[in-house]
Amino acid sequence: HLLHELLTHFVLGVLVFSLIAFFSDILLSFLNDLQKVGLDTGKALWIMALQFPKSVALVLPAASFLAALLVFN
């Protein structure tokens, strides 16, 4: 039961934190670059997909800490 609670809160934390990190940092700089260079939509989406694992790797510690706080509090 404890592992299930930890895993549930961990996945929720990863989703929330990665979306916040992705849309705040990567998306804003990417939209500026898109305006300057004039990339097509397919290449723009591909570059965004390549940047997403970077933001996920940064939020894993925060998500695990959030899960531990929510379960053991």
Side-chain angles (χ1 to χ4, degrees):
H1 177 69
L2 187 62
L3 186 60
H4 180 275
E5 289 292 321
L6 271 172
L7 188 61
T8 304
H9 288 96
F10 177 72
V11 170
L12 177 70
V14 167
L15 289 175
V16 170
F17 287 139
S18 64
L19 288 176
I20 290 171
F22 181 72
F23 285 118
S24 67
D25 181 37
I26 296 170
L27 189 64
L28 294 178
S29 65
F30 182 68
L31 289 176
N32 288 334
D33 292 340
L34 193 104
Q35 284 180 336
K36 291 177 188 174
V37 178
L39 290 174
D40 61 343
T41 308
K43 286 184 181 180
L45 290 175
W46 181 251
I47 293 172
M48 285 176 58
L50 290 175
Q51 292 294 326
F52 192 70
K54 176 182 140 185
S55 64
V56 170
L58 293 174
V59 302
L60 287 178
S64 61
F65 182 67
L66 176 70
L69 281 178
L70 290 175
V71 170
F72 294 118
N73 191 5

Short mmCIF file of all heavy atoms in Angstrom, two decimals:
data_model
loop_
_atom_site.label_atom_id
_atom_site.label_comp_id
_atom_site.label_asym_id
_atom_site.label_seq_id
_atom_site.Cartn_x
_atom_site.Cartn_y
_atom_site.Cartn_z
N HIS A 1 0.83 -1.20 0.00
CA HIS A 1 0.00 0.00 0.00
C HIS A 1 0.87 1.26 0.00
O HIS A 1 0.56 2.22 -0.67
CB HIS A 1 -0.93 -0.03 1.21
CG HIS A 1 -1.78 1.19 1.34
ND1 HIS A 1 -2.79 1.47 0.44
CD2 HIS A 1 -1.75 2.21 2.21
CE1 HIS A 1 -3.36 2.62 0.78
NE2 HIS A 1 -2.74 3.07 1.86
N LEU A 2 1.95 1.24 0.77
CA LEU A 2 2.83 2.40 0.85
C LEU A 2 3.52 2.67 -0.48
O LEU A 2 3.63 3.82 -0.92
CB LEU A 2 3.86 2.18 1.96
CG LEU A 2 4.76 3.34 2.30
CD1 LEU A 2 3.95 4.50 2.81
CD2 LEU A 2 5.78 2.91 3.32
N LEU A 3 3.97 1.61 -1.14
CA LEU A 3 4.63 1.77 -2.43
C LEU A 3 3.66 2.31 -3.48
O LEU A 3 4.04 3.14 -4.32
CB LEU A 3 5.22 0.44 -2.89
CG LEU A 3 6.06 0.46 -4.16
CD1 LEU A 3 7.24 1.39 -3.98
CD2 LEU A 3 6.52 -0.93 -4.50
N HIS A 4 2.43 1.87 -3.43
CA HIS A 4 1.42 2.36 -4.37
C HIS A 4 1.18 3.86 -4.17
O HIS A 4 1.07 4.62 -5.14
CB HIS A 4 0.11 1.58 -4.17
CG HIS A 4 -0.97 2.03 -5.09
ND1 HIS A 4 -1.78 3.09 -4.80
CD2 HIS A 4 -1.36 1.55 -6.29
CE1 HIS A 4 -2.64 3.26 -5.79
NE2 HIS A 4 -2.40 2.34 -6.71
N GLU A 5 1.11 4.30 -2.93
CA GLU A 5 0.92 5.72 -2.65
C GLU A 5 2.12 6.53 -3.11
O GLU A 5 1.97 7.62 -3.68
CB GLU A 5 0.68 5.94 -1.16
CG GLU A 5 -0.65 5.45 -0.67
CD GLU A 5 -1.80 6.26 -1.23
OE1 GLU A 5 -1.65 7.49 -1.34
OE2 GLU A 5 -2.83 5.67 -1.56
N LEU A 6 3.32 6.04 -2.85
CA LEU A 6 4.52 6.74 -3.30
C LEU A 6 4.57 6.86 -4.81
O LEU A 6 4.88 7.93 -5.35
CB LEU A 6 5.78 6.02 -2.81
CG LEU A 6 6.32 6.41 -1.46
CD1 LEU A 6 7.43 5.48 -1.04
CD2 LEU A 6 6.81 7.84 -1.47
N LEU A 7 4.27 5.77 -5.49
CA LEU A 7 4.31 5.78 -6.94
C LEU A 7 3.26 6.71 -7.54
O LEU A 7 3.54 7.43 -8.50
CB LEU A 7 4.14 4.36 -7.48
CG LEU A 7 4.34 4.17 -8.97
CD1 LEU A 7 5.75 4.57 -9.35
CD2 LEU A 7 4.07 2.74 -9.36
N THR A 8 2.09 6.72 -6.96
CA THR A 8 1.02 7.60 -7.46
C THR A 8 1.41 9.06 -7.33
O THR A 8 1.28 9.84 -8.28
CB THR A 8 -0.28 7.33 -6.69
OG1 THR A 8 -0.62 5.96 -6.80
CG2 THR A 8 -1.40 8.18 -7.23
N HIS A 9 1.90 9.44 -6.17
CA HIS A 9 2.29 10.84 -5.97
C HIS A 9 3.54 11.20 -6.77
O HIS A 9 3.70 12.34 -7.20
CB HIS A 9 2.52 11.11 -4.49
CG HIS A 9 1.25 11.14 -3.70
ND1 HIS A 9 0.79 10.04 -3.04
CD2 HIS A 9 0.34 12.12 -3.51
CE1 HIS A 9 -0.34 10.35 -2.44
NE2 HIS A 9 -0.64 11.61 -2.72
N PHE A 10 4.43 10.24 -6.96
CA PHE A 10 5.63 10.49 -7.76
C PHE A 10 5.26 10.78 -9.22
O PHE A 10 5.77 11.73 -9.81
CB PHE A 10 6.58 9.30 -7.68
CG PHE A 10 7.80 9.45 -8.52
CD1 PHE A 10 8.81 10.33 -8.14
CD2 PHE A 10 7.96 8.72 -9.68
CE1 PHE A 10 9.94 10.48 -8.92
CE2 PHE A 10 9.09 8.86 -10.45
CZ PHE A 10 10.08 9.74 -10.07
N VAL A 11 4.39 9.98 -9.79
CA VAL A 11 3.98 10.19 -11.18
C VAL A 11 3.26 11.53 -11.33
O VAL A 11 3.49 12.27 -12.29
CB VAL A 11 3.10 9.02 -11.67
CG1 VAL A 11 2.46 9.32 -13.00
CG2 VAL A 11 3.92 7.75 -11.75
N LEU A 12 2.41 11.85 -10.39
CA LEU A 12 1.72 13.13 -10.42
C LEU A 12 2.72 14.29 -10.34
O LEU A 12 2.61 15.27 -11.08
CB LEU A 12 0.71 13.22 -9.27
CG LEU A 12 -0.03 14.53 -9.14
CD1 LEU A 12 -1.01 14.69 -10.29
CD2 LEU A 12 -0.74 14.60 -7.82
N GLY A 13 3.70 14.16 -9.47
CA GLY A 13 4.72 15.20 -9.34
C GLY A 13 5.55 15.34 -10.60
O GLY A 13 5.88 16.45 -11.01
N VAL A 14 5.90 14.23 -11.23
CA VAL A 14 6.68 14.29 -12.48
C VAL A 14 5.87 15.00 -13.56
O VAL A 14 6.40 15.85 -14.28
CB VAL A 14 7.10 12.88 -12.94
CG1 VAL A 14 7.62 12.90 -14.36
CG2 VAL A 14 8.17 12.32 -12.02
N LEU A 15 4.61 14.67 -13.68
CA LEU A 15 3.79 15.31 -14.71
C LEU A 15 3.65 16.80 -14.47
O LEU A 15 3.85 17.61 -15.38
CB LEU A 15 2.41 14.66 -14.75
CG LEU A 15 2.34 13.26 -15.32
CD1 LEU A 15 0.94 12.69 -15.18
CD2 LEU A 15 2.76 13.27 -16.77
N VAL A 16 3.34 17.18 -13.26
CA VAL A 16 3.13 18.60 -12.97
C VAL A 16 4.42 19.40 -13.10
O VAL A 16 4.46 20.43 -13.77
CB VAL A 16 2.52 18.76 -11.56
CG1 VAL A 16 2.52 20.21 -11.13
CG2 VAL A 16 1.12 18.21 -11.54
N PHE A 17 5.48 18.92 -12.46
CA PHE A 17 6.74 19.66 -12.50
C PHE A 17 7.34 19.70 -13.90
O PHE A 17 7.93 20.70 -14.30
CB PHE A 17 7.75 19.08 -11.52
CG PHE A 17 7.45 19.38 -10.09
CD1 PHE A 17 7.62 18.40 -9.12
CD2 PHE A 17 7.02 20.62 -9.69
CE1 PHE A 17 7.35 18.66 -7.80
CE2 PHE A 17 6.75 20.90 -8.37
CZ PHE A 17 6.91 19.90 -7.42
N SER A 18 7.23 18.63 -14.66
CA SER A 18 7.80 18.64 -16.01
C SER A 18 7.02 19.58 -16.93
O SER A 18 7.62 20.25 -17.77
CB SER A 18 7.86 17.24 -16.59
OG SER A 18 6.57 16.71 -16.75
N LEU A 19 5.72 19.63 -16.78
CA LEU A 19 4.95 20.57 -17.60
C LEU A 19 5.28 22.01 -17.23
O LEU A 19 5.41 22.86 -18.11
CB LEU A 19 3.46 20.30 -17.45
CG LEU A 19 2.95 19.05 -18.13
CD1 LEU A 19 1.47 18.83 -17.84
CD2 LEU A 19 3.18 19.12 -19.63
N ILE A 20 5.43 22.28 -15.95
CA ILE A 20 5.80 23.63 -15.53
C ILE A 20 7.19 23.99 -16.04
O ILE A 20 7.41 25.08 -16.60
CB ILE A 20 5.73 23.76 -14.00
CG1 ILE A 20 4.27 23.71 -13.54
CG2 ILE A 20 6.39 25.05 -13.52
CD1 ILE A 20 4.12 23.61 -12.04
N ALA A 21 8.15 23.11 -15.88
CA ALA A 21 9.52 23.39 -16.33
C ALA A 21 9.59 23.50 -17.84
O ALA A 21 10.28 24.37 -18.38
CB ALA A 21 10.46 22.30 -15.84
N PHE A 22 8.86 22.64 -18.53
CA PHE A 22 8.91 22.64 -19.99
C PHE A 22 8.29 23.91 -20.56
O PHE A 22 8.87 24.57 -21.41
CB PHE A 22 8.19 21.41 -20.53
CG PHE A 22 8.22 21.30 -22.02
CD1 PHE A 22 9.38 20.97 -22.67
CD2 PHE A 22 7.08 21.55 -22.76
CE1 PHE A 22 9.41 20.87 -24.05
CE2 PHE A 22 7.10 21.45 -24.13
CZ PHE A 22 8.26 21.11 -24.77
N PHE A 23 7.11 24.26 -20.07
CA PHE A 23 6.43 25.40 -20.65
C PHE A 23 6.98 26.73 -20.19
O PHE A 23 6.84 27.73 -20.89
CB PHE A 23 4.92 25.32 -20.37
CG PHE A 23 4.23 24.30 -21.23
CD1 PHE A 23 3.60 23.22 -20.66
CD2 PHE A 23 4.24 24.42 -22.60
CE1 PHE A 23 2.98 22.28 -21.45
CE2 PHE A 23 3.63 23.49 -23.40
CZ PHE A 23 2.99 22.42 -22.82
N SER A 24 7.61 26.78 -19.06
CA SER A 24 8.15 28.07 -18.62
C SER A 24 9.51 28.36 -19.25
O SER A 24 9.78 29.49 -19.64
CB SER A 24 8.27 28.10 -17.10
OG SER A 24 9.25 27.19 -16.67
N ASP A 25 10.36 27.37 -19.36
CA ASP A 25 11.72 27.61 -19.82
C ASP A 25 11.87 27.37 -21.32
O ASP A 25 12.26 28.26 -22.07
CB ASP A 25 12.68 26.71 -19.04
CG ASP A 25 14.12 26.91 -19.45
OD1 ASP A 25 14.49 28.07 -19.72
OD2 ASP A 25 14.87 25.93 -19.50
N ILE A 26 11.54 26.20 -21.75
CA ILE A 26 11.84 25.80 -23.11
C ILE A 26 10.89 26.45 -24.11
O ILE A 26 11.31 26.92 -25.16
CB ILE A 26 11.80 24.26 -23.22
CG1 ILE A 26 12.91 23.66 -22.36
CG2 ILE A 26 11.95 23.81 -24.66
CD1 ILE A 26 12.82 22.18 -22.21
N LEU A 27 9.63 26.48 -23.79
CA LEU A 27 8.65 26.97 -24.75
C LEU A 27 8.84 28.45 -25.07
O LEU A 27 8.75 28.85 -26.22
CB LEU A 27 7.24 26.70 -24.25
CG LEU A 27 6.13 26.94 -25.24
CD1 LEU A 27 6.26 25.99 -26.42
CD2 LEU A 27 4.78 26.80 -24.60
N LEU A 28 9.12 29.25 -24.06
CA LEU A 28 9.28 30.68 -24.31
C LEU A 28 10.51 30.99 -25.17
O LEU A 28 10.44 31.79 -26.10
CB LEU A 28 9.36 31.44 -22.98
CG LEU A 28 8.09 31.42 -22.15
CD1 LEU A 28 8.31 32.15 -20.84
CD2 LEU A 28 6.95 32.05 -22.91
N SER A 29 11.62 30.35 -24.87
CA SER A 29 12.81 30.58 -25.69
C SER A 29 12.64 29.99 -27.08
O SER A 29 13.13 30.54 -28.06
CB SER A 29 14.05 29.98 -25.01
OG SER A 29 13.93 28.58 -24.94
N PHE A 30 11.90 28.90 -27.15
CA PHE A 30 11.67 28.27 -28.44
C PHE A 30 10.78 29.13 -29.33
O PHE A 30 11.01 29.23 -30.54
CB PHE A 30 11.05 26.89 -28.24
CG PHE A 30 10.82 26.16 -29.51
CD1 PHE A 30 11.88 25.71 -30.26
CD2 PHE A 30 9.54 25.95 -29.96
CE1 PHE A 30 11.67 25.04 -31.45
CE2 PHE A 30 9.32 25.28 -31.14
CZ PHE A 30 10.39 24.83 -31.88
N LEU A 31 9.77 29.75 -28.76
CA LEU A 31 8.91 30.61 -29.56
C LEU A 31 9.66 31.83 -30.08
O LEU A 31 9.42 32.28 -31.20
CB LEU A 31 7.69 31.04 -28.74
CG LEU A 31 6.67 29.95 -28.47
CD1 LEU A 31 5.57 30.48 -27.58
CD2 LEU A 31 6.10 29.40 -29.76
N ASN A 32 10.59 32.36 -29.30
CA ASN A 32 11.42 33.47 -29.76
C ASN A 32 12.30 33.04 -30.93
O ASN A 32 12.43 33.77 -31.91
CB ASN A 32 12.27 34.01 -28.63
CG ASN A 32 11.46 34.77 -27.62
OD1 ASN A 32 10.40 35.30 -27.94
ND2 ASN A 32 11.93 34.81 -26.39
N ASP A 33 12.90 31.86 -30.82
CA ASP A 33 13.73 31.35 -31.90
C ASP A 33 12.90 31.06 -33.14
O ASP A 33 13.36 31.25 -34.26
CB ASP A 33 14.47 30.08 -31.47
CG ASP A 33 15.50 30.35 -30.42
OD1 ASP A 33 15.92 31.53 -30.28
OD2 ASP A 33 15.90 29.40 -29.72
N LEU A 34 11.70 30.58 -32.95
CA LEU A 34 10.83 30.27 -34.08
C LEU A 34 10.48 31.54 -34.85
O LEU A 34 10.43 31.54 -36.08
CB LEU A 34 9.54 29.60 -33.58
CG LEU A 34 8.71 28.96 -34.65
CD1 LEU A 34 8.93 27.46 -34.57
CD2 LEU A 34 7.25 29.27 -34.44
N GLN A 35 10.26 32.63 -34.16
CA GLN A 35 9.95 33.89 -34.82
C GLN A 35 11.16 34.43 -35.58
O GLN A 35 11.03 34.96 -36.68
CB GLN A 35 9.51 34.93 -33.81
CG GLN A 35 8.11 34.74 -33.31
CD GLN A 35 7.72 35.80 -32.30
OE1 GLN A 35 8.59 36.39 -31.66
NE2 GLN A 35 6.43 36.04 -32.18
N LYS A 36 12.35 34.28 -35.00
CA LYS A 36 13.54 34.80 -35.65
C LYS A 36 13.91 34.03 -36.91
O LYS A 36 14.21 34.61 -37.93
CB LYS A 36 14.72 34.77 -34.68
CG LYS A 36 14.62 35.73 -33.53
CD LYS A 36 15.80 35.57 -32.60
CE LYS A 36 15.61 36.39 -31.35
NZ LYS A 36 16.68 36.15 -30.38
N VAL A 37 13.89 32.71 -36.81
CA VAL A 37 14.37 31.86 -37.90
C VAL A 37 13.26 31.53 -38.88
O VAL A 37 13.48 31.43 -40.08
CB VAL A 37 15.00 30.57 -37.33
CG1 VAL A 37 15.47 29.65 -38.43
CG2 VAL A 37 16.13 30.91 -36.41
N GLY A 38 12.06 31.33 -38.39
CA GLY A 38 10.95 30.97 -39.26
C GLY A 38 10.90 29.49 -39.58
O GLY A 38 10.74 29.10 -40.73
N LEU A 39 11.06 28.63 -38.56
CA LEU A 39 11.00 27.19 -38.76
C LEU A 39 9.59 26.74 -39.09
O LEU A 39 8.62 27.36 -38.68
CB LEU A 39 11.46 26.46 -37.49
CG LEU A 39 12.92 26.54 -37.12
CD1 LEU A 39 13.15 25.90 -35.77
CD2 LEU A 39 13.76 25.85 -38.16
N ASP A 40 9.49 25.63 -39.82
CA ASP A 40 8.16 25.07 -40.07
C ASP A 40 7.68 24.30 -38.84
O ASP A 40 8.44 24.02 -37.91
CB ASP A 40 8.15 24.19 -41.31
CG ASP A 40 9.09 23.00 -41.19
OD1 ASP A 40 9.97 23.04 -40.33
OD2 ASP A 40 8.94 22.06 -41.98
N THR A 41 6.43 23.95 -38.81
CA THR A 41 5.81 23.36 -37.63
C THR A 41 6.38 21.98 -37.30
O THR A 41 6.58 21.65 -36.13
CB THR A 41 4.29 23.26 -37.83
OG1 THR A 41 3.79 24.53 -38.23
CG2 THR A 41 3.59 22.82 -36.57
N GLY A 42 6.66 21.17 -38.30
CA GLY A 42 7.19 19.82 -38.05
C GLY A 42 8.54 19.85 -37.36
O GLY A 42 8.77 19.11 -36.41
N LYS A 43 9.43 20.68 -37.85
CA LYS A 43 10.74 20.80 -37.22
C LYS A 43 10.64 21.41 -35.83
O LYS A 43 11.37 21.04 -34.93
CB LYS A 43 11.67 21.64 -38.08
CG LYS A 43 12.16 20.92 -39.31
CD LYS A 43 13.16 21.76 -40.06
CE LYS A 43 13.60 21.02 -41.30
NZ LYS A 43 14.57 21.79 -42.08
N ALA A 44 9.72 22.33 -35.67
CA ALA A 44 9.53 22.96 -34.36
C ALA A 44 9.06 21.94 -33.34
O ALA A 44 9.56 21.90 -32.21
CB ALA A 44 8.52 24.10 -34.48
N LEU A 45 8.12 21.10 -33.70
CA LEU A 45 7.64 20.07 -32.78
C LEU A 45 8.72 19.04 -32.48
O LEU A 45 8.81 18.53 -31.36
CB LEU A 45 6.40 19.39 -33.35
CG LEU A 45 5.14 20.26 -33.39
CD1 LEU A 45 4.02 19.51 -34.10
CD2 LEU A 45 4.73 20.66 -32.00
N TRP A 46 9.54 18.72 -33.47
CA TRP A 46 10.62 17.76 -33.26
C TRP A 46 11.66 18.31 -32.28
O TRP A 46 12.12 17.59 -31.39
CB TRP A 46 11.28 17.42 -34.59
CG TRP A 46 12.39 16.43 -34.46
CD1 TRP A 46 13.71 16.68 -34.60
CD2 TRP A 46 12.28 15.05 -34.12
NE1 TRP A 46 14.43 15.54 -34.38
CE2 TRP A 46 13.57 14.52 -34.09
CE3 TRP A 46 11.20 14.22 -33.87
CZ2 TRP A 46 13.82 13.19 -33.80
CZ3 TRP A 46 11.46 12.89 -33.57
CH2 TRP A 46 12.74 12.39 -33.54
N ILE A 47 12.00 19.57 -32.40
CA ILE A 47 12.96 20.18 -31.49
C ILE A 47 12.38 20.24 -30.08
O ILE A 47 13.08 19.98 -29.09
CB ILE A 47 13.37 21.58 -31.99
CG1 ILE A 47 14.17 21.46 -33.28
CG2 ILE A 47 14.17 22.33 -30.94
CD1 ILE A 47 14.46 22.75 -33.97
N MET A 48 11.09 20.53 -29.96
CA MET A 48 10.45 20.54 -28.64
C MET A 48 10.46 19.15 -28.02
O MET A 48 10.67 18.99 -26.82
CB MET A 48 9.02 21.06 -28.74
CG MET A 48 8.95 22.55 -28.93
SD MET A 48 7.29 23.16 -29.18
CE MET A 48 6.46 22.61 -27.72
N ALA A 49 10.23 18.13 -28.82
CA ALA A 49 10.24 16.75 -28.32
C ALA A 49 11.63 16.34 -27.86
O ALA A 49 11.78 15.59 -26.89
CB ALA A 49 9.74 15.80 -29.40
N LEU A 50 12.66 16.85 -28.52
CA LEU A 50 14.02 16.54 -28.11
C LEU A 50 14.43 17.26 -26.82
O LEU A 50 15.30 16.79 -26.09
CB LEU A 50 15.01 16.90 -29.22
CG LEU A 50 14.95 16.01 -30.46
CD1 LEU A 50 15.89 16.57 -31.53
CD2 LEU A 50 15.30 14.59 -30.12
N GLN A 51 13.81 18.38 -26.53
CA GLN A 51 14.12 19.12 -25.32
C GLN A 51 13.35 18.63 -24.10
O GLN A 51 13.71 18.94 -22.97
CB GLN A 51 13.82 20.61 -25.53
CG GLN A 51 14.72 21.29 -26.51
CD GLN A 51 16.15 21.36 -26.01
OE1 GLN A 51 16.40 21.50 -24.82
NE2 GLN A 51 17.10 21.24 -26.91
N PHE A 52 12.29 17.86 -24.30
CA PHE A 52 11.45 17.42 -23.19
C PHE A 52 12.18 16.51 -22.19
O PHE A 52 11.99 16.68 -20.99
CB PHE A 52 10.19 16.75 -23.73
CG PHE A 52 9.15 16.53 -22.68
CD1 PHE A 52 8.47 17.61 -22.14
CD2 PHE A 52 8.86 15.26 -22.23
CE1 PHE A 52 7.52 17.42 -21.18
CE2 PHE A 52 7.91 15.06 -21.25
CZ PHE A 52 7.23 16.16 -20.73
N PRO A 53 13.03 15.56 -22.61
CA PRO A 53 13.73 14.74 -21.60
C PRO A 53 14.65 15.54 -20.69
O PRO A 53 14.84 15.16 -19.54
CB PRO A 53 14.54 13.75 -22.45
CG PRO A 53 13.80 13.66 -23.71
CD PRO A 53 13.23 15.03 -23.96
N LYS A 54 15.17 16.64 -21.18
CA LYS A 54 16.01 17.49 -20.33
C LYS A 54 15.20 18.04 -19.16
O LYS A 54 15.66 18.03 -18.01
CB LYS A 54 16.58 18.64 -21.15
CG LYS A 54 17.37 19.64 -20.37
CD LYS A 54 17.84 20.75 -21.29
CE LYS A 54 17.72 22.07 -20.58
NZ LYS A 54 18.04 23.19 -21.43
N SER A 55 13.99 18.48 -19.42
CA SER A 55 13.17 19.02 -18.34
C SER A 55 12.69 17.92 -17.41
O SER A 55 12.55 18.14 -16.21
CB SER A 55 11.99 19.80 -18.91
OG SER A 55 11.13 18.96 -19.63
N VAL A 56 12.46 16.72 -17.93
CA VAL A 56 12.04 15.60 -17.08
C VAL A 56 13.18 15.20 -16.14
O VAL A 56 12.95 14.92 -14.96
CB VAL A 56 11.57 14.41 -17.93
CG1 VAL A 56 11.36 13.17 -17.08
CG2 VAL A 56 10.29 14.76 -18.66
N ALA A 57 14.40 15.20 -16.63
CA ALA A 57 15.54 14.84 -15.79
C ALA A 57 15.75 15.84 -14.66
O ALA A 57 16.24 15.48 -13.59
CB ALA A 57 16.80 14.74 -16.64
N LEU A 58 15.38 17.07 -14.86
CA LEU A 58 15.55 18.07 -13.82
C LEU A 58 14.48 17.99 -12.74
O LEU A 58 14.69 18.42 -11.61
CB LEU A 58 15.54 19.48 -14.44
CG LEU A 58 16.72 19.81 -15.33
CD1 LEU A 58 16.53 21.17 -15.99
CD2 LEU A 58 18.01 19.79 -14.52
N VAL A 59 13.32 17.45 -13.07
CA VAL A 59 12.23 17.45 -12.09
C VAL A 59 12.10 16.14 -11.32
O VAL A 59 11.30 16.06 -10.39
CB VAL A 59 10.88 17.77 -12.76
CG1 VAL A 59 10.92 19.10 -13.45
CG2 VAL A 59 10.46 16.69 -13.71
N LEU A 60 12.86 15.12 -11.65
CA LEU A 60 12.77 13.85 -10.92
C LEU A 60 13.09 13.99 -9.43
O LEU A 60 12.36 13.42 -8.60
CB LEU A 60 13.64 12.79 -11.57
CG LEU A 60 13.12 12.24 -12.90
CD1 LEU A 60 14.11 11.23 -13.46
CD2 LEU A 60 11.76 11.62 -12.74
N PRO A 61 14.13 14.71 -9.03
CA PRO A 61 14.35 14.86 -7.59
C PRO A 61 13.23 15.62 -6.89
O PRO A 61 12.83 15.27 -5.78
CB PRO A 61 15.66 15.65 -7.50
CG PRO A 61 16.32 15.43 -8.79
CD PRO A 61 15.24 15.27 -9.80
N ALA A 62 12.70 16.64 -7.53
CA ALA A 62 11.60 17.40 -6.92
C ALA A 62 10.35 16.55 -6.79
O ALA A 62 9.63 16.62 -5.79
CB ALA A 62 11.31 18.65 -7.74
N ALA A 63 10.08 15.71 -7.77
CA ALA A 63 8.91 14.85 -7.73
C ALA A 63 9.04 13.78 -6.65
O ALA A 63 8.06 13.46 -5.96
CB ALA A 63 8.67 14.21 -9.09
N SER A 64 10.23 13.24 -6.49
CA SER A 64 10.41 12.24 -5.44
C SER A 64 10.30 12.87 -4.05
O SER A 64 9.75 12.26 -3.13
CB SER A 64 11.75 11.52 -5.61
OG SER A 64 12.81 12.43 -5.51
N PHE A 65 10.79 14.07 -3.89
CA PHE A 65 10.66 14.77 -2.62
C PHE A 65 9.20 15.09 -2.32
O PHE A 65 8.74 14.93 -1.18
CB PHE A 65 11.50 16.05 -2.65
CG PHE A 65 11.48 16.82 -1.37
CD1 PHE A 65 12.04 16.31 -0.23
CD2 PHE A 65 10.89 18.07 -1.32
CE1 PHE A 65 12.03 17.03 0.96
CE2 PHE A 65 10.87 18.79 -0.15
CZ PHE A 65 11.43 18.27 1.00
N LEU A 66 8.46 15.53 -3.32
CA LEU A 66 7.04 15.81 -3.15
C LEU A 66 6.28 14.55 -2.77
O LEU A 66 5.42 14.58 -1.88
CB LEU A 66 6.45 16.41 -4.43
CG LEU A 66 4.96 16.65 -4.40
CD1 LEU A 66 4.63 17.80 -3.46
CD2 LEU A 66 4.44 16.93 -5.80
N ALA A 67 6.58 13.44 -3.41
CA ALA A 67 5.91 12.19 -3.10
C ALA A 67 6.19 11.75 -1.66
O ALA A 67 5.27 11.32 -0.94
CB ALA A 67 6.34 11.10 -4.07
N ALA A 68 7.42 11.89 -1.23
CA ALA A 68 7.76 11.52 0.15
C ALA A 68 7.05 12.42 1.16
O ALA A 68 6.56 11.95 2.18
CB ALA A 68 9.27 11.58 0.34
N LEU A 69 6.98 13.70 0.86
CA LEU A 69 6.28 14.62 1.76
C LEU A 69 4.79 14.30 1.84
O LEU A 69 4.21 14.35 2.92
CB LEU A 69 6.47 16.06 1.30
CG LEU A 69 7.79 16.72 1.64
CD1 LEU A 69 7.82 18.12 1.06
CD2 LEU A 69 7.99 16.77 3.12
N LEU A 70 4.18 14.01 0.72
CA LEU A 70 2.75 13.76 0.72
C LEU A 70 2.39 12.43 1.38
O LEU A 70 1.36 12.32 2.03
CB LEU A 70 2.20 13.79 -0.70
CG LEU A 70 2.17 15.17 -1.36
CD1 LEU A 70 1.73 15.05 -2.80
CD2 LEU A 70 1.27 16.11 -0.61
N VAL A 71 3.23 11.43 1.23
CA VAL A 71 2.92 10.11 1.78
C VAL A 71 3.24 10.07 3.28
O VAL A 71 2.44 9.56 4.07
CB VAL A 71 3.68 9.01 1.02
CG1 VAL A 71 3.56 7.68 1.73
CG2 VAL A 71 3.12 8.90 -0.38
N PHE A 72 4.38 10.59 3.68
CA PHE A 72 4.81 10.43 5.06
C PHE A 72 4.40 11.59 5.97
O PHE A 72 4.77 11.60 7.13
CB PHE A 72 6.33 10.26 5.13
CG PHE A 72 6.78 8.98 4.50
CD1 PHE A 72 7.61 9.00 3.39
CD2 PHE A 72 6.36 7.77 5.01
CE1 PHE A 72 8.03 7.82 2.81
CE2 PHE A 72 6.76 6.58 4.43
CZ PHE A 72 7.61 6.61 3.33
N ASN A 73 3.65 12.52 5.48
CA ASN A 73 3.24 13.64 6.30
C ASN A 73 2.02 13.34 7.09
O ASN A 73 1.10 12.77 6.95
CB ASN A 73 3.02 14.88 5.47
CG ASN A 73 2.86 16.11 6.32
OD1 ASN A 73 3.00 16.06 7.53
ND2 ASN A 73 2.59 17.22 5.67
#
